[in-house]
Amino acid sequence: MLALSVACTAAAVAWAYLVIGHGGYWRTGLRLPPFPAPFPAPRPARSPAGAEPDRWPDVAAVIPARNEAAMLPAVLPTLLGQDYPGSLTVILVDDCSTDGTAEVAAGLGAHSRPEPGRPGRVLRVVAGAPPPPGWAGKVWAMAQGLTAAGQDGARPRYVLFTDADIAWAAGALRTLVRAAEQDDRDLVSQMALLRTATGWERVVVPAFVYFFAQLYPFGRVNSPRSRVAAAAGGCMLVRREALERSGGLTPISGARIDDVALGRVIKRQRGRCWLGLSTAVVSVRPYPRLADLWHMVARSAYVQLRYSPWLLVGTVAGLAFGYLLPPAGAIIGLAAGAAAGLADPTGPALAAGAGLAGWTLMSLTYLPMLRLYRLSPLRAPTLPLIAMLYAAMTVDSARRHYAGRGAEWKGRTDQARLRFASWPTYTKRTACGRRSRGRAGAVISSPTSSPPPRSKAISSRYSRTAAAWART
C-alpha cells in the first residue's frame, strides 16, 4: 500500500504541474480574433488589432482530395461562397480518385455564381499524378496544388491548405487573413470543430483534440520563445514567402503528419505562428462506428512515435501512470480502508486521497473541452477509460505497421518513415489513369476503371447539414 500511495502522490503532483505549468493546454479560449500575445516585445503589428487591411491580399486555397465525391457538395460551396473582399482561387487536386471526385468538383464550380461587389471566385480542378519516391501521398497532392497556384504568373500572398471534409462559415477566411496581416504571422492555423453526432464520436473526438493540445500546447506553439511547433491540417493559412524560403513543401515531402511538420518548418525559420480552436471551421466527415474512429487514430499514432518500440512502451506506460493510476489508487485505497477499519487507516487513506486528487485535477482539465463540444460535464471522470482506449489504438497502430498496413488511407498503404527531405524515403506508387480535359477548363483525371456509383442520399444529407450549419 505504501508503494501505491507514493505512486498516486507522484501522479497527483504531475497533474498539478500539467494544470499550472504546461502552457494552459486545457484552456479552450484561444480563438480568433487573437488575444494579446503573452510574451513581451512582439514585432510591431501591421495594423491595430481588429482593423481591416487597406487591401485584402490574394489567397489560393489548396484542397487535396482522394475519393471525396460524397463530401464535396457539403464543403466546396462553403469555401467558394466565402465573404472575403479579396481574390480567392480554389485549387482542388484530384489525388488519383476512383469515385468521380474531379467531375463532382467541376460541376459544383460551374454552378457557383459571384455575388455583387465581391471579386469572382475561381475553381481549378487539377489531376494529381502518382506520388514519386520519397513523397507522402497527401503532401505530394498539396505540392501539386501549390505549383498550380503559381501558374500563369499568379502570386497569391497566402496559400490556404485545407481538407476536403472542412466546411467554412462565411467570414472564416476573412478572420484568418486579418489575423495574419495585423500581427505579421507566417502561419495561422485553426483546429476544426469535429463532428460529434454519434455516441462513439462523443466519446473519442473531444479526447482526440484534448490529447493533441496536451502534446502541443497551443500557447507554446504561438510563442516565438518556445520550440513547440504544430498546426492543424484542416485549416492552415501560410504566407507564400515563408513557403518559398523553406523550399516549398520539399522539406516535409515524406511527412505523414504534414501539419505538425509544416509548423516545425515555419518556426525553424523564425516565422511567427498561431494555432487555436474554432467553431467557424467544421469537419463534416462522419465516423459513425468505433471501427472508423479506431482507424482514424491508429493510422498515424505509431507515425507520431517515429516508429520507435521504446517510445511506444513509454507512451503506454505514461498513459497508465497519468490516467489509470489515480482512479485505480482512489478505488483501491477506499476499498482497503473500508476493509481495514480502524486497524491501519493511514496507508489506504493516503492512496485514496492522492488518487482522488489526481483524478479530480484530470477531470477538471477535461471540462473546457466538453463545454466546447456541448457535452455533459459528467463525462469528465471517464477520461481514464478513454485514455486506455487510445493506448489500445496506439498499440494497434504499431501492429499494423509491422503487418505491412501502416498509414493506410482510402486504399493507399504507405510504409515510409516520417522523415524530412534530407533522408530518402519510399512511397508506394499507384496508377491514376489517363488525363483528360473537363468542364470549365479544369484538368481532371479519368480513371481506367469505372467509378462506383456515388450515394446521392449521403451527399444530399451532408449538403443539408452544411447549409443549416452555415445559416446559424
Side-chain angles (χ1 to χ4, degrees):
M1 189 59 67
L2 177 61
L4 180 62
S5 301
V6 172
C8 288
T9 301
V13 171
W15 275 107
Y17 161 75
L18 289 174
V19 172
I20 299 172
H22 195 53
Y25 78 94
W26 47 272
R27 297 189 178 98
T28 58
L30 202 57
R31 319 277 185 89
L32 291 179
F35 298 125
F39 43 88
R43 292 185 189 179
R46 289 176 173 264
S47 58
E52 302 287 298
D54 294 333
R55 180 182 179 277
W56 289 90
D58 296 346
V59 177
V62 175
I63 308 175
R66 179 174 174 83
N67 293 335
E68 299 285 8
M71 293 282 103
L72 293 181
V75 170
L76 205 51
T78 67
L79 189 55
L80 291 171
Q82 281 296 294
D83 180 20
Y84 180 66
S87 174
L88 172 62
T89 301
V90 178
I91 301 171
L92 185 137
V93 181
D94 178 27
D95 185 14
C96 304
S97 299
T98 59
D99 67 342
T101 290
E103 289 80 1
V104 172
L108 292 170
H111 289 89
S112 64
R113 296 286 184 269
E115 295 182 4
R118 190 182 69 182
R121 301 293 184 252
V122 178
L123 172 65
R124 298 174 59 189
V125 182
V126 178
W135 284 82
K138 180 182 176 183
V139 181
W140 175 242
M142 293 165 60
Q144 293 175 90
L146 182 61
T147 300
Q151 290 178 350
D152 301 327
R155 293 184 61 82
R157 182 172 177 81
Y158 292 99
V159 178
L160 173 66
F161 293 108
T162 183
D163 291 337
D165 64 334
I166 300 297
W168 297 74
L173 180 58
R174 180 198 289 257
T175 302
L176 282 169
V177 174
R178 183 176 59 211
E181 287 286 287
Q182 72 181 15
D183 205 15
D184 194 25
R185 294 186 171 105
D186 291 315
L187 170 63
V188 180
S189 180
Q190 291 180 292
M191 173 67 73
L193 191 72
L194 305 180
R195 204 185 91 133
T196 54
T198 67
W200 280 114
E201 287 174 343
R202 289 189 284 270
V203 170
V204 176
V205 164
F208 177 85
V209 183
Y210 174 88
F211 291 137
F212 182 87
Q214 189 178 62
L215 192 59
Y216 305 103
F218 294 176
R220 292 184 178 178
V221 171
N222 300 344
S223 170
R225 293 189 172 188
S226 171
R227 298 178 63 183
V228 178
C235 173
M236 299 187 295
L237 184 76
V238 191
R239 198 185 300 269
R240 179 181 50 80
E241 295 173 355
L243 288 170
E244 291 176 349
R245 285 197 302 268
S246 64
L249 297 178
T250 302
I252 64 167
S253 59
R256 273 55 188 172
I257 306 179
D258 55 277
D259 44 10
V260 174
L262 182 58
R264 288 173 178 168
V265 167
I266 298 298
K267 204 162 190 181
R268 282 173 182 170
Q269 59 176 253
R270 299 187 181 276
R272 299 197 65 198
C273 302
W274 190 92
L275 172 62
L277 296 164
S278 175
T279 57
V281 181
V282 179
S283 173
V284 298
R285 187 180 303 282
Y287 294 97
R289 303 173 302 158
L290 176 60
D292 302 318
L293 292 158
W294 190 289
H295 179 69
M296 178 193 72
V297 176
R299 68 187 176 91
S300 61
Y302 200 45
V303 177
Q304 184 66 58
L305 299 179
R306 302 177 184 178
Y307 307 97
S308 169
W310 300 109
L311 286 178
L312 174 65
V313 172
T315 298
V316 173
L319 287 171
F321 173 79
Y323 290 92
L324 186 60
L325 180 60
I331 294 172
I332 293 173
L334 290 173
L342 298 177
D344 184 18
T346 304
L350 181 58
L356 286 172
W359 196 1
T360 300
L361 289 173
M362 177 199 319
S363 301
L364 289 175
T365 63
Y366 197 39
L367 287 175
M369 192 61 65
L370 292 173
R371 189 179 304 116
L372 174 67
Y373 279 90
R374 299 182 180 180
L375 296 175
S376 169
L378 298 178
R379 293 175 176 267
T382 66
L383 185 58
L385 297 177
I386 304 174
M388 292 303 99
L389 182 63
Y390 270 84
M393 293 175 181
T394 304
V395 172
D396 186 57
S397 179
R399 180 194 65 80
R400 294 183 182 203
H401 171 74
Y402 293 116
R405 296 172 51 214
E408 186 177 6
W409 176 245
K410 294 190 176 182
R412 175 183 286 158
T413 301
D414 200 332
Q415 288 296 100
R417 297 300 179 103
L418 173 60
R419 291 175 177 173
F420 293 102
S422 54
W423 293 296
T425 57
Y426 172 75
T427 303
K428 185 177 180 181
R429 254 179 111 88
T430 57
C432 289
R434 60 185 179 85
R435 295 176 185 147
S436 63
R437 181 72 54 176
R439 283 180 290 181
V443 179
I444 63 175
S445 175
S446 178
T448 54
S449 59
S450 59
R454 181 170 56 90
S455 172
K456 295 183 179 180
I458 294 178
S459 300
S460 176
R461 184 170 70 251
Y462 291 155
S463 300
R464 291 194 301 268
T465 302
W469 166 79
R471 287 195 296 271
T472 61

